[in-house]
């Protein structure tokens, strides 16, 4: 069988008054349980970005945690330089900054823009060691997302866009789970991209669990997903969670064991 895969999708998150009604139920429980703990530990700030030099602390962590990956798709500093050009041309950006309260150590953040009633994430990065330190409570990432959602409500934002991702997704199923649990839904990206024709034989050559979206509705939201994997390639607990979360999101998941 041949599958037609949109190589770029975007994640859209609807904003309603209560984040608790929108995030994945078990995630809501974890955040509520750990909320006071994180509020005591961290200072959360949102400030406008007037020039790229104000983002230096962020890009030190971004380069260390994101740009250093082997599968990073861009040239070093390419995205930072593009952001600087947009700021110079007058596009308004903001940055979320997270600090440890006791030491004022900067541990990461998010750079985003607001246009009309739409908030769009441009970059996000947090120190890996700090994230690991508090993983048993809940992740910093999810708590910060909750804070961002509350900020969006306070600014009368209607939709949050969690960036554009490249597909088929090879070996990074966790990214799908993360964005679905936040209430994000995948749709065809408005950024120009190709439609890739792939078959099971092509997927076998990827040598990694392969995930992609299918069957967009009249509003370009995908209603079907596919995961191709070999025995032992994907953790059974991750697979079980993916089954539950896609069902909760109202998206059909087709599992294909190679």
């Amino acid at each position: 069988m041949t599958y037609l895969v949109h190589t770029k999708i975007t994640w859209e998150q609807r904003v309603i008054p209560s984040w608790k009604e929108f995030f994945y139920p078990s995630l809501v429980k974890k955040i509520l349980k750990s909320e006071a703990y994180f509020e005591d530990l961290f200072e959360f700030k949102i400030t406008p970005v007037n020039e790229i030099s104000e983002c230096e602390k962020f890009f030190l962590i971004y380069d260390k945690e994101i740009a250093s990956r082997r599968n990073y798709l861009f040239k070093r500093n390419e995205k930072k330089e593009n952001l600087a050009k947009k700021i110079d041309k007058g596009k308004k950006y903001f940055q979320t900054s997270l600090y440890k309260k006791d030491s004022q150590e900067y541990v990461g953040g998010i750079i985003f823009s607001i246009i009309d009633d739409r908030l769009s994430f441009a970059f996000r990065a947090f120190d890996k060691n700090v994230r690991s330190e508090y993983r048993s409570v809940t992740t910093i990432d999810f708590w910060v997302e909750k804070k961002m959602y509350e900020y969006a409500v306070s600014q009368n934002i209607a939709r949050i866009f969690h960036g554009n991702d490249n597909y088929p997704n090879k070996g990074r199923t966790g990214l799908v789970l993360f964005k679905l649990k936040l209430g994000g839904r995948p749709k065809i990206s408005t950024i120009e991209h190709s439609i890739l024709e792939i078959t099971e034989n092509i997927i076998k050559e990827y040598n990694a669990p392969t995930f992609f979206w299918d069957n967009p509705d009249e509003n370009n939201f995908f209603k079907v997903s596919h995961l191709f994997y070999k025995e032992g390639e994907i953790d059974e607990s991750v697979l079980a969670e993916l089954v539950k979360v896609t069902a909760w999101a109202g998206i059909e998941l087709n599992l294909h064991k190679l």
Side-chain angles (χ1 to χ4, degrees), residues 30-187:
K30 286 181 179 179
I31 293 174
L32 289 174
K33 186 176 180 180
S34 60
E35 186 171 18
Y37 180 71
F38 278 115
E39 292 284 356
D40 285 343
L41 284 173
F42 295 104
E43 183 178 357
F44 176 92
K45 294 180 180 178
I46 293 179
T47 54
V49 177
N50 299 304
E51 53 186 52
I52 196 67
S53 62
E54 296 170 357
C55 303
E56 286 303 318
K57 287 183 180 179
F58 172 84
F59 279 106
L60 285 174
I61 289 182
Y62 181 86
D63 289 344
K64 176 186 172 185
E65 306 293 354
I66 309 295
S68 62
R69 293 174 181 170
R70 285 192 304 171
N71 61 352
Y72 187 65
L73 299 174
F74 305 93
K75 296 177 182 177
R76 191 172 183 85
N77 290 329
E78 179 182 354
K79 296 199 75 176
K80 178 181 176 181
E81 290 167 1
N82 287 340
L83 176 65
K85 290 176 184 177
K86 291 176 181 178
I87 293 171
D88 289 344
K89 290 180 179 178
K91 186 171 182 179
K92 293 183 178 179
Y93 283 91
F94 302 82
Q95 66 174 325
T96 295
S97 301
L98 199 65
Y99 294 86
K100 284 187 174 180
K101 283 185 177 179
D102 59 353
S103 64
Q104 282 301 295
E105 176 191 357
Y106 177 83
V107 298
I110 295 167
I111 297 175
F112 63 95
S113 64
I114 295 177
I115 299 177
D116 298 327
D117 64 350
R118 165 180 169 154
L119 186 155
S120 298
F121 282 56
F123 301 88
R124 59 173 295 129
F126 295 94
D127 185 276
K128 181 173 62 176
N129 294 329
V130 175
R131 291 171 67 236
S132 298
E133 186 177 349
Y134 302 104
R135 192 176 295 277
S136 61
V137 185
T138 186
T139 67
I140 286 176
D141 305 74
F142 283 131
W143 177 69
V144 170
E145 291 288 347
K146 175 257 184 188
K147 299 283 284 184
M148 288 296 298
Y149 197 92
E150 290 179 330
Y151 173 77
V153 171
S154 73
Q155 300 298 307
N156 295 315
I157 298 295
R159 295 172 296 163
I160 298 174
F161 285 80
H162 276 270
N164 290 278
D165 292 343
N166 297 293
Y167 280 82
N169 174 316
K170 303 170 190 175
R172 295 188 65 200
T173 312
L175 182 64
V176 173
L177 281 170
F178 178 79
K179 293 189 178 183
L180 283 176
K181 285 181 176 181
L182 297 174
R185 296 296 177 264
K187 66 186 299 187

